[in-house]
Amino acid sequence: MPMAVKALGPRQPSMTTIALTLYFQRPVRLLGLIKHLFSALYYVAMCYLYFSITPADKRALQVYQPAAMCAIMGVFAVLHGFGLVRTCFVVRATRSRLWDRGWKALTRCVAPTTLLLVLHFVGVLCQSYQAYRGSEYLVDPIPLFAFAFVVALNCAVTPWFFLSRHKVVQTSVVPLLESVLGFFLTVVFQIYVFLAPSIFYSSSSTHQYDAKFNTRMALVARWVIASSPLDLVTKVAIQLASYSALRKLIDATHMSTRLYPTTSSPRHRHTSSLSSAAVARHFQFQFRQNRTRVLYAMGTSLYGIGLVSVSGVANWLRVDCPAVCAFAFAPWGTQTCQCCYIEINCVLQESTGLDIDSFLRPEQVGSRVFFIDVRRCALPQGIPLATLAPFQNLYGLFVTFSNMTQWRATNDNTVLPDSLTALRIRYSNLTAVPHLLASVPSNLIYLRLEGAPISTIPPTYVKAWATIPSISINEANLTDIPPGLLASTTLGWLELRGNHIRSLPPEWQPPVGFTADLSANALADGPWNAATQPSVVFDLSSNPISTVASTVDLNLVEGRTIVLDDTPFCAASSSLAKSACQAKCARLCPTKLIGDGNCDWSCYNAACQFDGGDCYSYGFE
């Protein structure tokens, strides 16, 4: 008779495997808790950012597919939230069946170790691309080098553990390193350079007007937020690799409860008796019969060393920039000055300021200039467009305290760089809107003309400004608002402070979220129909308004959705809360302008604390 063959069950892990698995379980669980918690919070914040981003910010920050990125961030938030709950409350949970099936399907085609090598290689490429992009956008050398250094660590350290003697070490240490390093690159670093400063920015009225701080934040945001298909793919790949490494790590160190040895069993006593030296032996590398892995580890190590070297050279062995350069980029592969923010003060530079061409030579400051801030320079005819032509990445151009009387376009069709997003001309001798602004760059979002006796805005200019979301014409001589300006569907922010406007069209219906500053005008009656629209803010302070329409809810005044500071109405009202009406140091000086980093001439007096010291950096004493 044939002998009956007893069916064998699944192969039981060895005592060494159990010991190594138990060795990794506690630190892995702690890592899982920390990573899931902070990652979930980060992705929720990023999801909200993509969801709430305005069309103006989308243009300014060059955001690519915000709806898709919002959905992706939401998915990652849910995944990490589920992982956090599972890690907190189900310590010995069963392995993820879906994850197991996906991983096993892949390992049927490719060996597990080879698959880990491929995933590591793809991750390194994506991380390297983001490090390279960082050199194009970040201006602080230490965070920039730290990012490249962590990528280099992943290149130079992680692959060597593929040579470990025991499979548990390979399937635990490699995902552990990738998970920790990926957590730093995808969450910790982003929180440090972007999310935390953004929260601080939103809560600090001072920094909201600081051009240098805003420049840094705009650049960091352009790096953190996806701006192209390739950028989106690499960001998602890094985030997915970091999450999958954590899942693989948790699964690798998971052990079913039936495999846990009891405290009285010989198996437990043997497992517990494994010394640290015995465990350490399994971390030793085996170089024989692993030539492919050795070559890969050597190649990635050399690549990591090269990555750190390139970043170090770009950051600290670069040609010094001129004194007018406040801070500079450190792009890889170049050692010339690549200035980011140029601040030219002709008085402090002891220059006549009739022109500033000598300060803007591309061979000295590079061609990547992002922001030009010109102060106290005569510039009677503005800045020649040929001087600005080399700077096709120019984001902001500020001209403050000049003798500019006109700024004309040239006959050779040279125009302002199309990348220009913010243009500000303050305290000049302009008597009319510069001819140059009859045609504006397609990316222009913020336009400010201030402190010039401009009395009219021709209809052709208003038509050209139809795509600009934020327009400010303050301390001019306007007596009315061009109807075409209020008809713009793009406009969301309008400042006309310090003019002579007496009325607004009663039929005007501002869009939701509209903000208007009409303070210090000649409005005897407020635009109550417009000011009571949902989610709008109107500053009507320092106007001769003595009464408020009966249709106006006074809660809007107390909540400062309608601001009536320094008006006869506030002076005569006794029923409003004290916070509803606040004192102003000067008619043309809102409190928010004091200490904001910009020199506001209307606030430069003793009553307004000399603008909180903002004018000192301009050379005023």
Side-chain angles (χ1 to χ4, degrees), residues 275-338:
S275 63
S276 299
V279 172
R281 281 199 301 270
H282 296 285
F283 282 82
Q284 295 176 355
F285 299 150
Q286 289 182 322
F287 295 96
R288 295 182 179 180
Q289 300 177 349
N290 286 314
R291 291 183 179 179
T292 302
R293 300 180 196 176
V294 170
L295 290 175
Y296 178 77
M298 292 177 63
T300 54
S301 296
L302 292 174
Y303 176 76
I305 294 172
L307 204 67
V308 170
S309 301
V310 169
S311 181
V313 169
N315 279 291
W316 289 292
L317 296 181
R318 185 173 296 278
V319 175
D320 291 337
C321 289
V324 294
C325 183
F327 44 84
F329 295 112
W332 291 359
T334 66
Q335 289 183 273
T336 59
C337 169
Q338 297 295 333

